[in-house]
Amino acid sequence: MDKPKGHAAKPAPEGRRDNKPQFKQKPKANYDGWLWGAHAVEAALKNSARQGLIRLFLSEERTKSAPPALFKRQEIKISTLPMSEISRLVPPDAVHQGMALHAPVLEGESLDDLIERDARNGLHVILMLDQVTDPQNIGAIFRSAAAFGVKGLIMQDRHSPPLQGVLAKTAVGAVDVVPFARVTNLSRALETLSENGYVSIGLAGEGEFNLHELLAQQGWGESLKKLVLVLGAEGEGIRRLVAEHCDHLARIPMPGGFESLNVSHAASISLYESCARR
């Protein structure tokens, strides 16, 4: 017997199983190549190593007050926008101060070029980061490196974020000041540095000597003039193989009894010991 008309189920449209409303997923914002904040943007504009088209976005107030020398590069395209429009270009919580910039991300240089650059004169301190991945920590380390006159910074290629966005804002321009290199293998990089006269010290709680004592023992500033300070990720510290390739392990004494420091704070203390306390 035929079913009564009007009771047959209406076939669902192809690709759908029900009549629930379908919502398109909001595309993820892409902030690759973006910098914001006065210090970060001004340092980027002064850095001749930044190649390719640079798009600079300024508020009306910033357009009036910015030094003309910042805009003499031919590859810069400048746009003046209201503050609210600049805010739409960068992440919602970004403090851009009326300045934002979009440009190719800095790639760094080779380890050989970093060593050659560092071989010119004076004392030479290089920082190496072992799987430090937090952008704010890396930005703060760049800032300290610039403040203490570090000759270069080495990061692992696969485990470090691009030098842009929050990282560059935290560094307040230091990513365009401190030379850096990305390497595939930190242990091999330590071997290369050793062949070029560097002594490497890994910062670790199990170090036999505190950093100040060890630097004095090694004749830092007199017989020793090339130094690599190796810092590991917070919590895990320096990985075993990297630690084995360090010439020495040293600790930062903490008489208060607390077990560890934020890696950016450890970097600042280590740089004070090696660059300023002498």
Side-chain angles (χ1 to χ4, degrees):
M1 183 175 176
D2 295 333
K3 292 182 180 180
K5 293 181 180 181
H7 290 273
K10 185 177 180 181
E14 186 176 354
R16 286 179 54 183
R17 295 174 180 260
D18 53 44
N19 292 325
K20 292 181 180 179
Q22 302 297 303
F23 299 99
K24 291 184 178 180
Q25 187 174 4
K26 186 177 179 180
K28 186 178 179 181
N30 186 346
Y31 299 113
D32 286 347
W34 282 98
L35 302 176
W36 53 83
H39 292 292
V41 170
E42 288 177 6
L45 292 173
K46 293 175 182 177
N47 185 4
S48 60
R50 285 192 178 270
Q51 301 296 320
L53 177 64
I54 296 175
R55 298 173 61 200
L56 177 62
F57 301 89
L58 300 173
S59 66
E60 293 183 3
E61 184 177 350
R62 285 290 181 182
T63 302
K64 295 175 183 177
S65 62
L70 294 180
F71 316 130
K72 289 186 177 180
R73 294 169 60 170
Q74 293 181 351
E75 66 273 27
I76 293 179
K77 181 179 179 182
I78 304 171
S79 300
T80 300
L81 299 175
M83 290 284 282
S84 59
E85 291 297 320
I86 298 176
S87 297
R88 293 178 183 177
L89 298 174
V90 296
D93 57 348
V95 182
H96 56 75
Q97 300 170 303
M99 300 184 78
L101 177 148
H102 187 270
V105 180
L106 289 172
E107 297 295 334
E109 52 193 63
S110 70
L111 179 60
D112 289 339
D113 287 343
L114 194 66
I115 291 172
E116 183 179 353
R117 175 199 290 270
D118 193 32
R120 293 172 189 169
N121 50 46
L123 296 179
H124 314 290
V125 178
I126 287 178
L127 277 178
M128 177 179 284
L129 307 182
D130 181 16
Q131 291 193 320
V132 179
T133 58
D134 182 80
Q136 289 184 318
N137 279 337
I138 297 175
I141 290 170
F142 262 96
R143 183 175 184 176
S144 294
F148 286 105
V150 167
K151 302 298 184 181
L153 195 148
I154 299 171
M155 298 177 287
Q156 194 171 14
D157 192 26
R158 291 179 303 151
H159 297 286
S160 54
L163 307 190
Q164 60 184 13
V166 172
L167 190 159
K169 182 67 168 64
T170 305
V172 291
V175 297
D176 284 277
V177 174
V178 178
F180 72 96
R182 296 183 185 274
V183 299
T184 303
N185 189 301
L186 294 181
S187 297
R188 289 198 199 109
L190 284 169
E191 291 174 357
T192 300
L193 288 161
S194 179
E195 291 167 1
N196 284 271
Y198 286 85
V199 169
S200 56
I201 298 177
L203 275 296
E206 64 270 23
E208 182 180 359
F209 299 100
N210 71 49
L211 180 59
H212 180 69
E213 293 171 344
L214 184 59
L215 289 172
Q217 288 177 14
Q218 295 300 308
W220 172 238
E222 297 175 1
S223 58
L224 172 61
K225 295 191 176 182
K226 292 184 175 183
L227 180 67
V228 184
L229 295 172
V230 186
L231 295 107
E234 199 168 337
E236 297 180 4
I238 302 171
R239 291 172 297 163
R240 179 185 59 80
L241 190 58
V242 175
E244 289 176 355
H245 279 79
C246 291
D247 296 308
H248 308 278
L249 295 180
R251 66 182 184 274
I252 296 173
M254 288 177 277
F258 206 69
E259 293 185 359
S260 64
L261 290 169
N262 176 282
V263 64
S264 66
H265 297 158
S268 297
I269 294 169
S270 303
L271 292 175
Y272 172 77
E273 288 284 1
S274 56
C275 299
R277 182 164 168 168
R278 289 188 322 104

